[in-house]
Every structure is written in structure tokens, then in C-alpha cells.
Amino acid sequence: MKNLNVKWIYLLILSVIWGSSFILIKKSLLGLTAYQLGALRTIITGVILLAFGFNTLKTIPKSKWKWLMVSGFLASFLPSFFFAIAETEIDSSVASILNSLVPLNTILLGFAVFKIASTKRQILGVMIGFIGTAILILKGSDLNPNQNYLYAGFVIVSTIMYAINVNIIKRYLQDVKPLAIAAGNYVFILIPAIIILLFTDFFSDERLNNPNLPNALMYVTILSVFGTAFAKVLFNKLVQLSTPVFASSVTYVMPIVALLWGILDGESFSLIQGLAALLILVGVYLSHKRKS
């Protein structure tokens, strides 16, 4: 019972943190390009995680490092850029809604590739949550007909990478400390992020004199510290405590938080979206496997 409560507490905390990440990306883009945002987010997070988790690296078995590299690029490096690129064309709330495809992809990939079984109850929960997500997407497209939904492809690809990553953690990194996983990821992706930043115009006079830059840097710092560094450690622990499907179901609650931020930022929200959000919560509940 204690583990059950801890899992739900982790899920709630992660939902609030990651649900707030989308509005932070949106605000950061007011003073940064998508590539600058992705690079800075990776660099700041990497510095923090390596500062606090450097000593844990020596506890990682040599056979695990290849999986840490794959995990780092799939779950941290590429999505940091893909979500930023996507939000140059679609609303932050739409991006968070599309991110809810992660649990469905987790079940499909877990079964097909990683041979991780899921119960009928989990599958039912994922499908109910997916229906709620579909309603949110359709309603969102009605409210925002001028958005370029081709850019939603960046989010969809990211959800597939997230799904692969959560299965990798469960299957190959189960015995590695959560902080060691997060720090180990950034051993591989920190340098590439620095190189990308150097090839942008971030250090040009025009960019440094941009009046929106100070606020953008504040937002990306908050995003990096809480939305990436702190949240990744919590998420790695949640995967180890529960199942890949339950851990990935955090993406079903995130859109609710993101939509609330959207309302505060002047975005539209309808009764139908509220009903869809309730369906999502039902899906999260059913996707929880009590005996894991």
C-alpha cells in the first residue's frame, strides 16, 4: 500500500512539473530560437545533473553505458529540440495533448519489441485515455484552425522515442540508480548541445541585445532545473517502482495542467475539453497495474 501511494504521489508531482513545461517552452521562444532553446535546455540540465550526480557514475556497470547513451538521445536530446520546433507553429496545450500518445506507444512497443506484458485492464485504460486525447485534439483543431499541424509530427515522433526509452529503463536499467541514469544520459549529449549552440546566432550582438532574452533565459532555466533535471530523476524512480505503462501515463494528466496554464495565458478551453480531461483521468486510473 505504501508503494502504491508513493507511485501516485510521483505521478501527480511529475504531471504538474511536466504539464507546466509546455508554457515555459512557449515563453522561452519569445527570446530564443528553437535550436537555441533545445541546446540551452540540454546544457543547463546537464551541468546540474553532472554536478549532483557525478559520483554516481562510478556505480554504473560497463554493460549499461550503451543503453544510457541510447536513452539520453531518445528521451532528452532530440525531444528538447523537437518540442521547441513544434511549438513555433502549434500551441503549447496542443503539444501537451499530442504527448499523451506516449502510453499507447509504450504498450505497443513494450509488447512488440521488449516482450513486456500488459494486462487487459492496462490496455483498456490506455484506450480510454486515448479517446479522451483524441477529443481534445479534435476540439483543439476547431479552436485553432490556422495552426500548422504538420509540426505536430515532431511531437508524435518524440512520443515514440519516449516510449522506447521507458521500456529501455524498465528492461535494461532497472538496477541503476535514478540519478545515475539521468547523469549518465548527459555524459553523451552535453557536448553535442554545446556544439549546436555555438553554430546558432546566440552570441551575436542582435541576440544578446534582444529585450526578450532575459525573460527567455529565466524561463529556460526554470524549465531545465525542474522540468528536466529534477523531473527526470523522479521519472526514472517511478519507472522502477511501477510499470512502463503506469509511468508513461503521466502524459495523460499533463495536458490538464497545460490547458489550465493555457487559460491563464489567454488560450480557449471548452466544456467538451473538460469532459475529455475526465476521460483521461479514468484512463490513468485503469492503466495502473496494482500487482507489478
Side-chain angles (χ1 to χ4, degrees), residues 27-28 31-32 40 44 202 208 212-224:
K27 295 298 184 182
S28 298
L32 297 166
L40 284 171
I44 296 171
F202 179 73
L208 294 177
N212 293 321
L213 183 62
N215 283 338
L217 291 176
M218 177 186 69
Y219 289 127
V220 74
T221 300
I222 296 173
L223 175 66
S224 302

Side-chain angles (χ1 to χ4, degrees), residues 152-201:
F154 286 102
V155 179
I156 294 172
V157 171
S158 295
T159 67
I160 296 173
M161 292 190 292
Y162 284 149
I164 295 173
N165 176 66
V166 74
N167 281 295
I168 286 175
I169 293 174
K170 190 64 178 180
R171 186 172 179 86
Y172 300 111
L173 301 174
Q174 177 69 19
D175 299 324
V176 180
K177 295 179 180 178
L179 180 57
I181 295 174
N185 289 158
Y186 282 82
V187 167
F188 297 100
I189 66 176
L190 181 59
I191 299 301
I194 293 174
I195 294 173
I196 289 176
L197 184 65
L198 291 175
F199 278 90
T200 68
D201 66 344

